[in-house]
Amino acid sequence: MSDAEADRHREKMEKRKAVQDAEVAEKTIEKGLLIVNTGPGKGKTTAGLGLVLRALGHGWRVGVVQFIKGAWDTGEKHALKAFGDRIEWHTLGEGFTWETQDKARDIAAAEQAWAKAEELMADPTIRLVLLDELNIALRYDYLPIDAVVAAFRARRSDLHVIVTGRNAKPALVEAADLVTEMGSVKHHFSAGVKAQEGIEF
Amino acid sequence: MSDAEADRHREKMEKRKAVQDAEVAEKTIEKGLLIVNTGPGKGKTTAGLGLVLRALGHGWRVGVVQFIKGAWDTGEKHALKAFGDRIEWHTLGEGFTWETQDKARDIAAAEQAWAKAEELMADPTIRLVLLDELNIALRYDYLPIDAVVAAFRARRSDLHVIVTGRNAKPALVEAADLVTEMGSVKHHFSAGVKAQEGIEF
C-alpha cells in the first residue's frame, strides 16, 4: 500500500466517522425495548438467548418463559444454571401442537405461561424478559392478541421484552420498537443433515 | 370448543405429526456445520452467542474470536467468565475501520485474529468456534476469501463454525451449511432511541 493510498483511506474514514458520530448524537432516548424476532429462518430464539447473556453480563436479573417446550431438554437451560437466581426460567408451554394433538390442553398451557410472563414483567428486580415462541400461541389464537399487546404497552419504562416465533401478528409488530425477520438463505435440513446436538438443541 | 371441533383438531394434528416424523426420519447425516449469520438486521452476533450458550450447556469447550472490537466492553464477555476455561475468548480485531482510520493496522489486526481462529479450529478439545464479524474483514479484503473458505472446508468433521457480519461473500455462502439473513423490519434507532445497555452492548 502506497502512502497516497493510506492517506486516501484515512481521509475517507475520517469523513465516515464524522457522519457516524453525528448519527449517534441524534439518538438520545433511553427506554426499555419491545423486541420481536420473527421469520422462517434460524436464530430467533438463539438471538434472544444472546441478549439474555448480555443482560446477565451487566448484572441484571432476567426472566424466561418458554411457550413451547420443544421435543428435547435444551442445552441453554442447563448452561444458564451457572447464573443461579439471577435467572428465572419457566417452561410452561406444552410441546408443538402436532405433538399434544389436544387443543384445549394447548390453550390452558398458553394461558398458564402468559400468567407467568405477566408476573415476571411486574417483578421490579427483573430488567429483561424473554417470551420464547409466544408468537406461536398468538398465531393459533390461544391467547388474545389485544390483551397481550396492551400488557406490553403498559410495561414499566425500563423493562426490555423479547418475543420470538414465526408469523408475528401485525398488531405486535406495530407495538414493537425493534423487529427482525430471520430469513432462511440455506438450510442443512435440505441436504439431509439432521438436527445437531449443540446447534438445534 | 365442541367435541367435534376437538376431534377435528386432533385428526389434523395426527396427520401433521406423521408428515413431521417422516421429514425428521429422512435426515440422517451428522456433521459439524458451517453457519453464517448475515444481513442488515440485528441478531447476527447474539444468535451466535445463543449457540455458544447451548454448546456450553452440552459440556463442550467453545472458542470465540472477535474480529471487530467494537466501541465498548461487552456484557456477554463478562457473563461468559462464569464458564471458566470451557470458553476461550479472544478480542483481536481493532475497532471499526472508521475508528482506526488506518488500513495497514486493520489488516494486521485481521491477520492476527485469523491466526487465532485457525489455532482454535485445530484444537481437538473445542467443538464450536464463533468468528464474530469475520465478514467485515473479508468484505474489505483484509483477509483472502479463498484461504478462509479452504480452511473451513478442511476443518475436522465434528467442528461447528459460526461466522457473523453483514455482506457475507458468495464463496462463503456457497461453502456454508446454514445461512440466515437477518432483515431489519423496524429499528428503534429510526425513532431516535439510542443504543441501550444490555441490548446493543
Side-chain angles (χ1 to χ4, degrees), chain A residues 1 5 9-10 13-14 16-17 20-21 26-33 35 41-43 45-47 49-51 53-58 60 73-76 78-80 82-83 97-99 101-104 106-107 127-128 140 142 160 173-194 196-201, chain B residues 1 5 9-10 13-14 16-17 20-21 26-33 35 41-43 45-47 49-51 53-58 60 73-76 78-80 82-83 97-99 101-104 106-107 127-128 140 142 160 173-194 196-201:
Chain A
M1 186 168 43
E5 199 194 328
H9 177 83
R10 198 181 54 246
M13 290 302 135
E14 277 170 3
R16 183 148 170 205
K17 180 163 166 55
Q20 202 81 14
D21 288 350
E26 269 171 23
K27 297 166 191 30
T28 52
I29 303 167
E30 295 207 34
K31 63 171 292 200
L33 302 175
I35 299 171
K42 303 286 286 185
T45 294
T46 45
L49 289 169
L51 289 180
L53 198 63
R54 194 165 276 179
L56 289 166
H58 285 284
W60 297 357
D73 203 27
T74 56
E76 56 269 29
H78 188 76
L80 288 168
F83 298 93
T97 51
W98 57 87
E99 296 288 346
Q101 302 176 8
D102 183 335
K103 193 170 175 179
D106 288 347
I107 292 173
R127 282 285 299 277
L128 180 123
Y140 290 108
Y142 293 170
H160 300 285
V173 170
E174 168 66 30
D177 300 292
L178 172 60
V179 181
T180 305
E181 166 98 6
M182 275 70 174
S184 181
V185 176
K186 193 172 186 182
H187 201 299
H188 52 290
F189 289 176
S190 318
V193 177
K194 65 192 278 195
Q196 304 287 299
E197 183 194 58
I199 301 296
E200 267 87 13
F201 57 94
Chain B
M1 188 166 45
E5 199 194 325
H9 177 85
R10 196 182 53 248
M13 290 302 135
E14 278 171 5
R16 182 146 171 209
K17 181 166 164 55
Q20 202 80 16
D21 287 350
E26 270 173 22
K27 297 166 190 32
T28 52
I29 303 166
E30 294 207 34
K31 62 172 290 202
L33 302 175
I35 298 171
K42 305 284 287 185
T45 294
T46 45
L49 288 169
L51 289 180
L53 198 64
R54 195 164 274 178
L56 289 166
H58 285 284
W60 296 358
D73 204 26
T74 56
E76 56 269 28
H78 189 76
L80 289 168
F83 299 93
T97 49
W98 56 88
E99 297 288 346
Q101 303 176 8
D102 182 336
K103 192 170 174 177
D106 288 348
I107 292 172
R127 281 286 298 278
L128 180 122
Y140 290 108
Y142 292 171
H160 300 286
V173 170
E174 169 66 30
D177 300 292
L178 172 60
V179 181
T180 306
E181 167 98 5
M182 274 68 174
S184 181
V185 175
K186 194 172 183 180
H187 200 298
H188 52 291
F189 288 176
S190 318
V193 178
K194 63 192 277 196
Q196 305 285 300
E197 184 195 59
I199 301 298
E200 266 87 14
F201 56 98

Side-chain angles (χ1 to χ4, degrees), chain B residues 150-164:
Chain B
F152 289 153
R153 289 196 190 274
R155 77 189 186 281
R156 54 173 213 280
S157 65
D158 68 345
L159 178 71
H160 300 286
V161 175
I162 309 165
V163 176
T164 76

Side-chain angles (χ1 to χ4, degrees), chain A residues 56-76:
Chain A
L56 289 166
H58 285 284
W60 297 357
R61 285 195 78 229
V62 173
V64 179
V65 180
Q66 280 188 295
F67 280 76
I68 302 284
K69 191 165 41 184
W72 33 57
D73 203 27
T74 56
E76 56 269 29

